[in-house]
Amino acid sequence: RIFVLGIGFFTLCFLMTSLGGQFSAKRLGDSPFTIRTEVMGALESRGVLRRMSDMLEMLMKRMDILARLENSTDFHKGDEARFPLDRFQPAAGLMERIQAIAQNVSDIAIKVDHILQNSLLNGKVVEGRRDQCEVPRDPKYPDCAGKVEWMRARWTSDPCYAFFGVDGTECSFLIYLSEVEWFCPPLPWRNGTTALPSPPPLPRVQAAFQSDLAPLLELIGTGKESLSFMKKRIRHLAQQWLRAAQRLEQKLKGRQRDKKHILIHIGFLTEESGDVFSPRVLKGGPLGEMVQWADILAALFLLGHSLRVTVSLKELQSHLGVPPGRGNCPLTSPLPFNLIYTDYHGLQQMKQHMGLSFKKYRCRVRVIDTFGTEPAYNHEEYATLRGYRTNWGYWNLQPTQFMTMFPHTPDNSFMGFVSEELNKTERQLIKANKVSSMAVVYGKEANIWKGKEKFLAILNKYMEIHGTVYYETQRPPEVPAFVKNHGLLPQHEFQQLLRKAKLFIGFGFPYEGPAPLEAIANGCVFLQARFNPPHSSLNHEFFRGKPTSREVSSQHPYAEDFIGKPHVWTVDYNNSEEFEAAIKTIMRTQVDPYLPYEYTCEGMLERIHAYIQHQDFCTTSSPPLPPKAKSPAMQSPPSPLALSPNATHLVWSPSTSQDPHAWPPLDSLQVWVSETRHSCTETCRQHGLVCEPTFFRFLNKKEVFLQLSITCDSTEYEMNHLHPAVAENVHECYLQKEPLLFSCAGYNTKYRRLCPCRDYRKGQVALCRDCL
């Protein structure tokens, strides 16, 4: 009997504890995706209450049986009788307590029944929708079913899906795919609760030129040698930047300019990309990229735009609004920036963490790309099919979204950098102090000097040779003893060395850096090697894998093509006689310091201002698709082009109205036909012009061939970066099928290409005469 009482009391305590756990463990959450879980919890609690009530009733029956047995036995006789009777005196009180608890449990069970009934009635619609959602069959959303199938299998692969409310049910998949992404139609029963108003567009505020660079220096931050280098450069050029901003402000005469919200993410300085530059800043590593980024920051800030600067992935995620997870989901809010300046490393990081938002906002990106990306490498499908796929490129951006250090190819936008300008007094002082027998070698790394003993021996016959090669303990073995090596010099000391030297000589590497322009600006003659054959990705390791087929005929093609003699000499270093003769002539030649306008502070401000105000890759309409067959009654619209007076090329017809928003202005267009071995870049340059890829859409018509008296037995649309073009030997004409492949670069001996050319401002090749 004692054992039965103990078991009963223990069971009662256990059931009460379990019941308390059931009630305390289940709490209604805020998320609409927790309804089913809470209902199931309540059902389980009701079952526990019922089982507890049944067990209490059974316990009372057994206690009643024990009481009757007690009354019918002889245990009350003798001395032993007192013990059982004494022990059973409290039993009646225990029975009363058990009956009271059983009644309370029964009452609780009835109340839970009422609550559950009301809850199920109220949640019936939602629960039914949640359990019975079907994938809609809407032709406007053909990818919906496939995306739902993917979500079923992979929704746990990234925590960001749970962040947006996905919990593994069909309805949560459809809610996500219709409200966060856009692959499925909105669910009708969600219209009243989840439709969010469209965010207001970024406010239009007028930009004002800045007159103090101190806020920019604070904005750049600290913690990296690279950042310190850039800030030091900005401080050094501060007065030139401020004077240039004042001159441009006067030139624009109060013209209205929109203030842009701009994010600058320097991807190659992030820890995730390795940040190989910062540790090498003080060891003579490549500084060209950091020079350019410092100048970009200064120009954007002085033009009056709002900037945010990041050099870490964590900061990038914070500024963009990236949801927690692995980057598969879109951003949590609309992008708060009109423009994003980044590099290839940053572009890859953005794609990895923005989900579908990257495709939506990539038109706002500007990629700082040192060597350029040609259209054939940029178009992913074409690059893959035609063998142009490399480790870079294939982003399907508008080619002019890539911005280069030099005007390599008009397919990209020329961003550039600045060199220090000299005032009249400084120019006169430099000319007076030049040492005609002093040469400085271009190259801070010891391996550049390897194999150059022959050139150095000839040069040493006429000039004192100076070097700036980094070394830690002793002279690098590659540098001959007769060279006066200064080691790595701070920028201002290097400038002083250039101001004394007569000659700045390059040994073929590094390619296209800023130092030759700095030397020429300080009154040096730049001597460089001619490459025969030209270096390219086909025959030189340095260019292999870069998204360009450009052929480099010298160490610094810009200096060769846009500056030339007497400031720049390009000779065959394999010809000792030519090399020695060039040195003798240079020693006798007097040159003034020279800096192209496009590499001055004002030139760069002018160029970036024009890009920001006129380049819009988010609203540019695509060229029309290939025409369908027309009936004889249908007439083609008259061509906006007309034959030039001397009948050599086409120009924009004076009688054709222009789109006032077109940039560059259409009256700057000229259409020329290339030779078979010439690209459009070369063809336009031969006529004193620049190839303008945005004009290709006006050439991509059969009528243009007829206007140029080109016979076309057939005309086909193809995806080819050399089109529009004509194969004259067979009278076949080809038009461009893919607008992203319009390209100034490239040639084929089979084709003569149609080339859109434009004029340009003196010293500012990026802008036409009326482009500012």
Side-chain angles (χ1 to χ4, degrees):
R1 288 193 297 267
I2 295 173
F3 176 75
V4 172
L5 285 173
I7 290 297
F9 187 75
F10 175 79
T11 303
L12 176 62
C13 294
F14 175 76
L15 289 174
M16 291 299 291
T17 303
S18 299
L19 180 62
Q22 289 288 339
F23 281 122
S24 64
K26 303 293 181 183
R27 295 189 179 93
L28 289 176
D30 296 330
S31 170
F33 303 108
T34 58
I35 295 173
R36 184 177 182 185
T37 302
E38 303 310 329
V39 171
M40 291 304 295
L43 289 171
E44 292 169 0
S45 298
R46 181 172 64 179
V48 170
L49 287 170
R50 287 178 175 173
R51 289 195 300 273
M52 182 176 178
S53 179
D54 293 341
M55 293 185 70
L56 285 171
E57 184 179 356
M58 184 181 297
L59 181 62
M60 285 187 293
K61 289 180 180 179
R62 291 181 178 178
M63 290 288 290
D64 186 55
I65 292 172
L66 285 173
R68 289 198 300 271
L69 287 173
E70 175 65 21
N71 292 331
S72 62
T73 60
D74 295 330
F75 288 164
H76 64 280
K77 296 179 181 179
D79 295 338
E80 300 170 346
R82 290 190 299 275
F83 175 71
L85 287 175
D86 293 341
R87 295 293 295 170
F88 265 88
Q89 290 303 319
L94 179 60
M95 286 288 292
E96 292 174 359
R97 292 177 186 176
I98 292 175
Q99 288 176 347
I101 292 172
Q103 184 61 44
N104 289 336
V105 170
S106 179
D107 293 340
I108 292 172
I110 293 172
K111 291 179 180 179
V112 169
D113 275 334
H114 287 304
I115 292 172
L116 286 173
Q117 288 173 4
N118 292 333
S119 175
L120 288 173
L121 285 174
N122 293 333
K124 185 176 180 181
V125 176
V126 175
E127 178 65 19
R129 287 171 180 165
R130 182 159 187 77
D131 289 337
Q132 300 174 12
C133 284
E134 295 183 0
V135 178
R137 304 296 178 183
D138 190 333
K140 296 179 181 178
Y141 300 88
D143 298 323
C144 184
K147 291 294 180 180
V148 171
E149 188 66 29
W150 187 95
M151 291 291 287
R152 289 193 193 108
R154 301 292 303 278
W155 75 272
T156 58
S157 63
D158 194 323
C160 71
Y161 296 117
F163 173 82
F164 281 109
V166 177
D167 64 356
T169 59
E170 206 80 353
C171 285
S172 70
F173 297 155
L174 291 172
I175 291 171
Y176 175 84
L177 291 171
S178 61
E179 297 175 11
V180 180
E181 297 183 4
W182 47 87
F183 292 105
C184 295
L187 301 175
W189 52 275
R190 295 278 296 180
N191 285 348
T193 57
T194 61
L196 297 176
S198 299
L202 295 173
R204 295 187 64 175
V205 180
Q206 293 304 310
F209 282 91
Q210 299 297 310
S211 58
D212 181 12
L213 284 166
L216 173 62
L217 299 176
E218 183 177 350
L219 189 65
I220 293 174
T222 59
K224 289 179 178 288
E225 292 291 347
S226 300
L227 300 179
S228 299
F229 173 87
M230 288 190 280
K231 291 167 70 173
K232 189 173 182 179
R233 175 176 174 82
I234 292 172
R235 278 193 292 264
H236 179 70
L237 296 174
Q239 293 306 311
Q240 293 193 22
W241 277 118
L242 294 173
R243 288 194 296 267
Q246 291 173 357
R247 291 194 296 268
L248 180 58
E249 185 175 15
Q250 294 171 359
K251 189 184 298 184
L252 295 177
K253 299 177 181 179
R255 193 178 305 172
Q256 298 295 303
R257 299 183 302 114
D258 289 340
K259 183 176 183 177
K260 305 293 185 181
H261 298 273
I262 301 176
L263 175 65
I264 296 98
H265 176 61
I266 310 177
F268 74 86
L269 292 183
T270 61
E271 298 300 330
E272 289 76 12
S273 68
D275 188 14
V276 297
F277 286 85
S278 291
R280 302 174 68 186
V281 169
L282 300 179
K283 298 182 180 180
L287 302 181
E289 289 85 353
M290 283 176 282
V291 164
Q292 188 181 32
W293 275 109
D295 296 345
I296 291 170
L297 286 166
L300 292 173
F301 181 81
L302 286 171
L303 288 170
H305 301 293
S306 174
L307 309 184
R308 290 289 180 271
V309 183
T310 69
V311 292
S312 77
L313 188 56
K314 185 176 181 180
E315 289 177 318
L316 175 68
Q317 293 172 326
S318 174
H319 286 307
L320 294 179
V322 175
R326 299 186 178 93
N328 290 308
C329 298
L331 302 182
T332 57
S333 59
L335 187 70
F337 301 103
N338 303 104
L339 294 169
I340 299 177
Y341 286 82
T342 188
D343 52 24
Y344 261 123
H345 294 283
L347 196 63
Q348 184 66 42
Q349 291 168 352
M350 289 167 55
K351 183 179 181 181
Q352 289 175 347
H353 293 87
M354 290 176 67
L356 289 177
S357 294
F358 178 78
K359 184 177 181 180
K360 179 179 180 180
Y361 293 121
R362 65 183 177 183
C363 60
R364 304 187 190 184
V365 173
R366 306 293 183 266
V367 184
I368 307 304
D369 177 12
T370 303
F371 292 95
T373 299
E374 294 175 1
Y377 297 81
N378 170 63
H379 191 282
E380 185 174 15
E381 179 186 356
Y382 185 78
T384 303
L385 292 175
R386 299 294 186 92
Y388 291 103
R389 183 75 181 239
T390 67
N391 291 333
W392 311 100
Y394 62 82
W395 287 91
N396 293 325
L397 300 178
Q398 293 293 333
T400 39
Q401 287 180 255
F402 296 98
M403 311 189 107
T404 58
M405 183 173 283
F406 292 95
H408 306 302
T409 170
D411 291 325
N412 304 145
S413 298
F414 164 45
M415 172 59 77
F417 58 94
V418 304
S419 287
E420 187 172 357
E421 297 177 72
L422 303 176
N423 57 38
K424 186 176 181 180
T425 302
E426 290 172 327
R427 293 164 66 91
Q428 292 175 345
L429 191 63
I430 286 175
K431 290 180 66 176
N433 293 332
K434 276 292 177 184
V435 179
S436 60
S437 60
M438 178 177 173
V440 175
V441 175
Y442 181 20
K444 294 178 287 188
E445 297 183 1
N447 60 359
I448 294 173
W449 296 65
K450 290 181 179 178
K452 307 303 187 297
E453 295 81 5
K454 183 178 179 180
F455 313 136
L456 289 169
I458 295 174
L459 182 61
N460 189 48
K461 289 166 54 178
Y462 301 95
M463 290 185 160
E464 180 181 78
I465 305 174
H466 294 251
T468 56
V469 184
Y470 173 80
Y471 60 95
E472 293 183 354
T473 57
Q474 59 185 2
R475 173 187 293 270
E478 295 84 359
V479 180
F482 55 76
V483 174
K484 185 177 181 180
N485 187 24
H486 300 262
L488 184 64
L489 293 177
Q491 188 67 14
H492 69 281
E493 293 185 26
F494 181 64
Q495 294 276 355
Q496 294 301 320
L497 190 65
L498 292 176
R499 292 184 179 188
K500 292 181 181 179
K502 177 73 173 182
L503 177 67
F504 189 62
I505 181 171
F507 286 150
F509 190 84
Y511 295 99
E512 301 174 303
L517 288 189
E518 294 178 352
I520 296 168
N522 283 286
C524 292
V525 174
F526 178 52
L527 177 62
Q528 63 174 346
R530 180 184 298 114
F531 300 148
N532 189 18
H535 292 180
S536 70
S537 58
L538 299 178
N539 62 11
H540 201 275
E541 187 62 32
F542 179 82
F543 290 100
R544 192 163 290 120
K546 291 182 170 57
T548 174
S549 57
R550 187 165 54 98
E551 295 180 331
V552 178
S553 58
S554 63
Q555 181 175 353
H556 208 290
Y558 176 85
E560 178 186 7
D561 296 333
F562 289 88
I563 300 177
K565 291 181 179 179
H567 301 279
V568 179
W569 289 63
T570 306
V571 301
D572 183 2
Y573 278 24
N574 293 320
N575 187 328
S576 300
E577 294 179 358
E578 183 182 356
F579 179 78
E580 188 168 358
I583 293 174
K584 292 178 181 179
T585 306
I586 289 169
M587 292 180 69
R588 297 192 302 266
T589 303
Q590 296 295 322
V591 295
D592 293 329
Y594 172 73
L595 180 62
Y597 174 75
E598 55 200 357
Y599 284 97
T600 65
C601 293
E602 185 177 353
M604 186 167 184
L605 283 171
E606 184 179 278
R607 192 164 57 249
I608 294 183
H609 154 74
Y611 289 153
I612 290 177
Q613 295 305 122
H614 298 292
Q615 283 186 337
D616 184 358
F617 302 109
C618 297
T619 59
T620 302
S621 58
S622 300
L625 295 174
K628 298 179 180 179
K630 299 179 181 179
S631 65
M634 296 179 66
Q635 296 292 327
S636 299
S639 171
L641 302 174
L643 201 62
S644 65
N646 59 4
T648 57
H649 61 282
L650 300 179
V651 296
W652 190 261
S653 176
S655 61
T656 305
S657 61
Q658 289 195 45
D659 180 358
H661 301 291
W663 193 84
L666 297 173
D667 57 6
S668 65
L669 168 63
Q670 297 183 26
V671 183
W672 291 83
V673 183
S674 77
E675 298 299 326
T676 54
R677 290 186 175 273
H678 288 172
S679 68
C680 283
T681 301
E682 295 168 314
T683 300
C684 293
R685 186 179 297 166
Q686 288 176 347
H687 299 287
L689 303 169
V690 174
C691 182
E692 179 51 62
T694 60
F695 288 155
F696 265 113
R697 58 195 177 105
F698 300 107
L699 282 60
N700 201 42
K701 301 175 182 178
K702 182 177 180 179
E703 293 81 3
V704 176
F705 291 108
L706 299 177
Q707 287 181 286
L708 291 167
S709 301
I710 296 174
T711 302
C712 298
D713 291 343
S714 65
T715 304
E716 298 180 13
Y717 276 84
E718 286 187 0
M719 193 167 67
N720 190 310
H721 71 287
L722 302 179
H723 295 169
V726 56
E728 285 193 324
N729 56 336
V730 291
H731 302 292
E732 293 177 348
C733 297
Y734 299 91
L735 298 175
Q736 180 60 256
K737 185 178 180 181
E738 171 52 69
L740 283 180
L741 286 174
F742 283 135
S743 177
C744 294
Y747 67 87
N748 188 304
T749 55
K750 174 183 176 181
Y751 299 126
R752 294 183 69 195
R753 302 188 57 190
L754 298 189
C755 299
C757 307
R758 62 162 171 83
D759 56 34
Y760 61 92
R761 302 179 70 217
K762 184 179 179 180
Q764 185 72 286
V765 69
L767 304 179
C768 69
R769 291 171 187 166
D770 299 322
C771 276
L772 189 57

